[in-house]
Amino acid sequence: MSALAPGEAVDAAALPLVHASLPVDEVILGRPTTAAHALTAVGDVEVGIWEMTPGTASDTEVDEVFVVLAGHARIEFVDPPLPAIEVDAGSVVRLAEGQRTVWTVTETLRKIYIA
């Protein structure tokens, strides 16, 4: 699928995604994979779908707001240290550029990101 055209719609929950293994240095537990698909750009902002299968992995974030479509995860904020959060369908989260996080996905997590 290419980028969305004005007036076009897509079922973000059912869109097939191609997964790849995470870099070994990011994986903490299990064998999680991720997939991403950019849907469109609005000005300088990208909107897309991202998915991670069960497992635990570290990440360094970009400036982003996301909405969880399906699944469940715990996100720990390593740097700067903040309280961990649990996310599932309907959760809306704001991440900041450079935050270091640890994601523990217990049910494949699919989100729409705006970054």
Side-chain angles (χ1 to χ4, degrees), residues 49-63:
I49 299 170
W50 179 89
E51 187 171 82
M52 180 175 161
T53 60
T56 302
S58 63
D59 196 15
T60 301
E61 303 301 336
V62 299
D63 242 353

Side-chain angles (χ1 to χ4, degrees), residues 22-30 32 55-59 101-104:
L22 287 168
V24 174
D25 62 333
E26 292 179 11
V27 175
I28 297 170
L29 184 64
T56 302
S58 63
D59 196 15
T101 55
V102 172
W103 294 65
T104 300

Side-chain angles (χ1 to χ4, degrees), residues 25-108:
D25 62 333
E26 292 179 11
V27 175
I28 297 170
L29 184 64
R31 296 166 101 168
T33 62
T34 60
H37 181 86
L39 293 171
T40 193
V42 180
D44 291 338
V45 176
E46 181 176 280
V47 178
I49 299 170
W50 179 89
E51 187 171 82
M52 180 175 161
T53 60
T56 302
S58 63
D59 196 15
T60 301
E61 303 301 336
V62 299
D63 242 353
E64 172 184 345
V65 172
F66 68 84
V67 180
V68 176
L69 296 174
H72 182 85
R74 176 181 174 85
I75 305 169
E76 297 173 60
F77 297 93
V78 176
D79 185 25
L82 297 169
I85 58 174
E86 303 275 333
V87 298
D88 51 19
S91 296
V92 179
V93 178
R94 168 78 163 86
L95 299 172
E97 177 82 27
Q99 277 184 310
R100 290 185 342 176
T101 55
V102 172
W103 294 65
T104 300
V105 174
T106 53
E107 281 178 50
T108 296

